[in-house]
Amino acid sequence: MSRAEREVQILEVAERVFADNGYQATSMDDIAAQVGLSKPMLYEYFGSKEGLLLACLRRSKAELLTATSQAAANATSPEALLYDCQLAFFRFGDEHAQAWALLRNEFSIPSTSVNKELEAIRVQQRDFTANLLRMVQEDLADEQAEAWAEVIIGASERLALWRENRPEVTAEKATEYMITLFAPGLGF
């Protein structure tokens, strides 16, 4: 197995174990045993347990941006652009439940680097959303686009958390709730 393939394998296992057990309760021994490597090899790849968690978060960050960017690329109208990107966000949480668990649960880790990485994911999505809003309303001021994007990101995260206890609320239904709420302000 190449180094790149091994890293992917380690990240997949680590993401699952961190999501299932939580960061604090997970040891490098737990992950090493499930990957079939020695603990020193994990340290060689990622430097520390925190380094491994950061790698998991960075991978999730890239995957989320890819999912929402692909949705934007395929949209055929301003309304579809916002709907499809919002739907991609909710579907990402559904289809990447372990990554979502990391994104929503690990804020409690007392680590500056982990908290910075989590905030970087939010900033990435805020900037992405602000750019979408500017595409929909070309005369939208940068500050207003950024403020609206912050509200949308915050509301999306809370709605995604709410959905965890409401399995009957599909990604499509959650997206409809979001669009119904924000569409009037966007002139739809």
Side-chain angles (χ1 to χ4, degrees):
M1 187 177 290
S2 73
R3 181 175 177 93
E5 292 170 326
R6 179 65 76 182
E7 283 182 12
V8 168
Q9 178 195 32
I10 294 168
L11 290 173
E12 288 173 358
V13 169
E15 186 176 277
R16 180 175 39 78
V17 175
F18 285 143
D20 290 347
N21 303 336
Y23 176 78
Q24 301 294 355
T26 297
S27 72
M28 291 294 265
D29 287 323
D30 297 333
I31 296 167
Q34 291 191 36
V35 173
L37 287 177
S38 67
K39 186 166 73 170
M41 282 300 291
L42 286 182
Y43 283 104
E44 184 176 318
Y45 277 86
F46 297 100
S48 66
K49 184 169 90 167
E50 184 175 303
L52 180 53
L53 177 62
L54 289 169
C56 289
L57 292 172
R58 288 181 186 120
R59 182 174 104 152
S60 295
K61 178 182 171 185
E63 290 173 346
L64 178 57
L65 184 60
T66 297
T68 51
S69 295
Q70 286 175 344
N74 295 326
T76 57
S77 69
E79 294 86 356
L81 179 69
L82 295 177
Y83 182 91
D84 293 352
C85 291
Q86 188 69 58
L87 181 59
F89 171 81
F90 289 121
R91 283 185 175 163
F92 177 85
D94 292 347
E95 295 166 3
H96 298 87
Q98 293 167 346
W100 172 244
L102 286 179
L103 296 175
R104 73 167 161 73
N105 288 332
E106 297 307 329
F107 65 87
S108 60
I109 297 172
S111 165
T112 302
S113 58
V114 170
N115 290 325
K116 282 183 179 179
E117 191 61 38
L118 289 168
E119 185 59 21
I121 294 168
R122 287 184 183 95
V123 168
Q124 166 191 278
Q125 290 308 116
R126 180 208 59 211
D127 292 347
F128 178 80
T129 303
N131 287 333
L132 293 179
L133 293 171
R134 283 188 213 93
M135 291 170 63
V136 171
Q137 277 193 352
E138 294 177 9
D139 62 340
L140 192 62
D142 289 344
E143 182 178 284
Q144 188 172 12
E146 190 173 302
W148 285 3
E150 285 283 352
V151 171
I152 291 169
I153 296 304
S156 296
E157 288 179 6
R158 291 303 308 168
L159 192 57
L161 287 170
W162 176 76
R163 284 184 63 226
E164 289 180 12
N165 296 316
R166 307 280 309 241
E168 72 277 8
V169 179
T170 64
E172 291 78 8
K173 193 170 190 178
T175 299
E176 289 171 22
Y177 288 150
M178 290 293 293
I179 297 302
T180 300
L181 179 64
F182 292 108
L186 296 170
F188 294 155

